[in-house]
Amino acid sequence: LQQRRGLRLSAPAAIQVTVRDALNQALDEELERDERVFLLGEEVAQYDGAYKISRGLWKKYGDKRVIDTPISEMGFAGIAVGAAMVWLRPVCEFMTFNFSMQAIDQVINSAAKACYMSAGSIAVPIVFRGPNGAAAGVAAQHSQCFAAWYGHCPGLKVVSPWSSEDAKGLLKASIRDDNPVVMLESELLYGVPFEMSEQAQSKEFVIPIGKAKIERQGTHITLVSHSRSVGHCMEAAAVLSKEGVECEVINLRTIRPMDIETVEASMVKTNHLVTVEGGWPQFGVGAEILARVMEGPAFNYLDAPAVRVTGADVPMPYAKILEDNCIPQVKDIVFAVKKVLNI
């Protein structure tokens, strides 16, 4: 009636959405959009998912589209890769990426290399997704970050979301991509609400794979991170801002292919760099960023050596106080920034 009277309707405002609900929306929209898309994994159907990411999808789409599997990662990952080779679009959920080591041969030797080894005649449009990195109190065998592991492998695309918009946009883009994509989520972010813009509420909202986002503008130092550590960087930037230090915070979003251009452009402005990640230091994401910077033109703009803030180089302890000291905290980022700026 308002439209008939020529009145302008107000646009939907931004809303608060948890990462869990954003992932659920993305799966629902893509299952509805393309009948070739299906979800499989342990407890994804009748139980609604171990982390309730697939809540309601089995009842809506049925047994052929949302499939509970036995506890056999090598088996159901292989089934998913085979399905992708005949141009279905499986979403293969690992209850945690620690269990993906049971299926790593399927992910790397089958999915990642098939297109190259077939001279481009076989595509593998598959998404491997699930929680990655440290959770809370789950000790060494369940607390590893696989960003560097899978980011090392040509043939894969690797994404690592932070916010609800990241989660929804990257998952939809990954499902639509014709290449195998590894999506590394954070269990500790599933219940965290983030603001979701009007644009992100659209069913056609996707985030380009391979493009980082500047979450906060700054002039004194560049902080580069991914996944949950982006939030720590934002908190550290707020603390440092009160002391007159303005940090530019870059959310990588994608590990492979890495958007080093956005990092270099920021460095040209700030002349300082700190990388932050929850994974181990040796051969890590931060190590790759620093190497790329060293080899590129932005190195000439550095006024001080770049520094990495990483997880401790030990298996994750079970005790909470030790766990907290193994994961980068806001105070560690603040300390690193002050060290680089010599303040």
Side-chain angles (χ1 to χ4, degrees):
L1 182 61
Q2 286 177 313
Q3 286 177 320
R4 288 177 184 175
R5 291 174 179 171
L7 298 176
R8 184 177 179 183
L9 297 176
S10 58
I15 58 174
Q16 292 281 317
V17 178
T18 65
V19 171
R20 173 182 289 108
D21 288 340
L23 290 166
N24 181 266
Q25 286 176 24
L27 287 169
D28 189 8
E29 290 169 8
E30 293 306 302
L31 283 161
E32 181 181 60
R33 175 181 176 271
D34 189 341
E35 64 181 10
R36 296 173 298 171
V37 175
F38 69 98
L39 172 66
L40 78 166
E42 295 152 353
E43 308 285 9
V44 300
Q46 295 186 44
Y47 188 67
D48 277 341
Y51 300 97
K52 306 308 176 192
I53 303 301
S54 54
R55 184 179 61 246
L57 298 180
W58 174 66
K59 289 181 180 178
K60 184 173 182 179
Y61 295 102
D63 291 326
K64 290 186 178 180
R65 306 287 302 283
V66 184
I67 304 167
D68 278 332
T69 66
I71 304 174
S72 177
E73 284 78 13
M74 175 66 85
F76 68 74
I79 289 169
V81 172
M85 286 179 174
V86 293
W87 215 242
L88 296 177
R89 291 187 175 272
V91 179
C92 178
E93 177 180 305
F94 295 120
M95 195 175 287
T96 94
F97 259 93
N98 300 279
F99 303 156
S100 77
M101 283 190 286
Q102 299 290 331
I104 202 165
D105 181 64
Q106 297 289 1
V107 178
I108 292 178
N109 276 331
S110 298
K113 298 175 183 177
C115 185
Y116 176 82
M117 294 181 71
S118 67
S121 64
I122 299 176
V124 188
I126 186 172
V127 180
F128 301 99
R129 55 154 297 272
N132 169 70
V138 292
Q141 292 178 332
H142 299 80
S143 299
Q144 300 159 102
C145 176
F146 286 86
W149 295 53
Y150 288 117
H152 181 64
C153 181
L156 292 177
K157 294 184 178 181
V158 183
V159 298
S160 182
W162 169 54
S163 67
S164 298
E165 285 198 7
D166 289 352
K168 181 178 180 181
L170 287 172
L171 180 52
K172 289 171 72 72
S174 299
I175 292 171
R176 297 182 189 189
D177 201 289
D178 288 340
N179 300 280
V181 181
V182 172
M183 183 161 178
L184 304 171
E185 303 154 12
S186 169
E187 177 185 336
L188 296 177
L189 289 176
Y190 281 153
V192 178
F194 289 87
E195 189 173 277
M196 185 173 280
S197 66
E198 175 195 350
Q199 180 189 13
Q201 296 170 46
S202 165
K203 288 186 177 183
E204 292 307 311
F205 174 73
V206 295
I207 290 173
I209 294 174
K211 184 62 181 173
K213 180 186 178 185
I214 298 176
E215 297 286 352
R216 179 186 176 117
Q217 297 283 345
T219 54
H220 295 121
I221 192 166
T222 298
L223 304 180
V224 184
S225 190
H226 68 96
S227 190
R228 185 166 173 257
S229 294
V230 177
H232 291 144
C233 287
M234 294 292 282
E235 292 180 45
V239 170
L240 288 159
S241 181
K242 296 176 182 178
E243 301 180 31
V245 177
E246 295 301 330
C247 302
E248 183 144 297
V249 179
I250 296 178
N251 173 10
L252 276 178
R253 285 179 163 173
T254 304
I255 306 301
R256 185 183 185 106
M258 186 177 285
D259 183 6
I260 202 68
E261 293 79 13
T262 295
V263 176
E264 290 179 329
S266 177
M267 282 176 50
V268 169
K269 179 171 64 172
T270 68
N271 308 116
H272 300 90
L273 174 66
V274 170
T275 66
V276 184
E277 64 189 301
W280 295 312
Q282 190 157 322
F283 312 114
V285 174
E288 173 65 16
I289 294 170
L290 265 61
R292 299 274 284 274
V293 166
M294 184 79 172
E295 295 165 352
F299 173 72
N300 297 311
Y301 290 86
L302 279 177
D303 287 344
V307 167
R308 294 175 293 159
V309 178
T310 72
D313 196 23
V314 296
M316 182 63 70
Y318 173 72
K320 183 174 182 354
I321 189 169
L322 297 177
E323 181 182 67
D324 288 344
N325 279 283
C326 281
I327 301 170
Q329 306 293 335
V330 172
K331 61 180 177 61
D332 302 315
I333 301 169
V334 171
F335 177 82
V337 168
K338 290 183 175 182
K339 175 184 176 182
V340 170
L341 295 177
N342 196 28
I343 57 175

